[in-house]
Amino acid sequence: MDEQHRYGQPQQQTGYYRPEPRRPRVDAGRLWAGGVMTAVVAALTAVVGVLLVRGVLGVPVFAPEGDGMMGDASTGLLAMGAALAALAATGLLHLLMLATPQPGTFFAWIITLATAVLVLLPFTTSLPMDAKIGSATLYLVIGIAIGSLLTAAARSAARGDGY
């Protein structure tokens, strides 16, 4: 292959080569392993958060006050929802890495806005203020965990010209 076509574009009059940007190759196994571990961490974050907010601080979030430290089935649903959100975010991230320029930037915006929606959602209810703040804080921590862990997994899984 001659020098003129090596980078995908012919030599210009100035002698300057303009290489086409390379798409990063994605190690899908590594990305999804990181996504599954992120789902585990997100679920455990939900459980620990409920224990802290309900058990230590005494704020009745995700269940009526009489349901004890762990609440009721809603605690399990919260943990399951956090895990599913992490897996959905992994799928989104994989798609972004394969198809978009600057996938990290798009992913950061999407995760930030989705987390903001969940943080604001409790304030649209008639819950007591302490339950609103407790719920919003828990959603924020789960969102940060998912976003930061998947960003690290994506960097590890990207081969080529970065993430």
Side-chain angles (χ1 to χ4, degrees), residues 12 33 45 69 71 77 129 161:
Q12 298 175 359
T45 300
M69 254 190 318
L77 290 174
M129 187 54 74
D161 287 344

Side-chain angles (χ1 to χ4, degrees), residues 88-100:
T90 304
L92 171 68
L93 180 56
H94 195 175
L95 176 66
L96 291 172
M97 290 177 76
L98 294 174
T100 64

Side-chain angles (χ1 to χ4, degrees), residues 33-135:
V36 168
M37 290 300 100
T38 299
V40 171
V41 169
L44 290 173
T45 300
V47 172
V48 168
V50 169
L51 278 172
L52 173 68
V53 174
R54 284 184 65 82
V56 175
L57 302 177
V59 177
V61 293
F62 304 110
E65 198 167 336
D67 284 338
M69 254 190 318
M70 284 301 293
D72 61 2
S74 63
T75 302
L77 290 174
L78 177 65
M80 182 64 72
L84 289 175
L87 293 175
T90 304
L92 171 68
L93 180 56
H94 195 175
L95 176 66
L96 291 172
M97 290 177 76
L98 294 174
T100 64
Q102 301 294 318
T105 302
F106 284 108
F107 184 72
W109 271 97
I110 292 168
I111 289 294
T112 300
L113 292 171
T115 301
V117 166
L118 288 172
V119 166
L120 293 173
L121 198 58
F123 295 100
T124 65
T125 67
S126 61
L127 292 171
M129 187 54 74
D130 58 349
K132 290 178 184 182
I133 293 170
S135 299

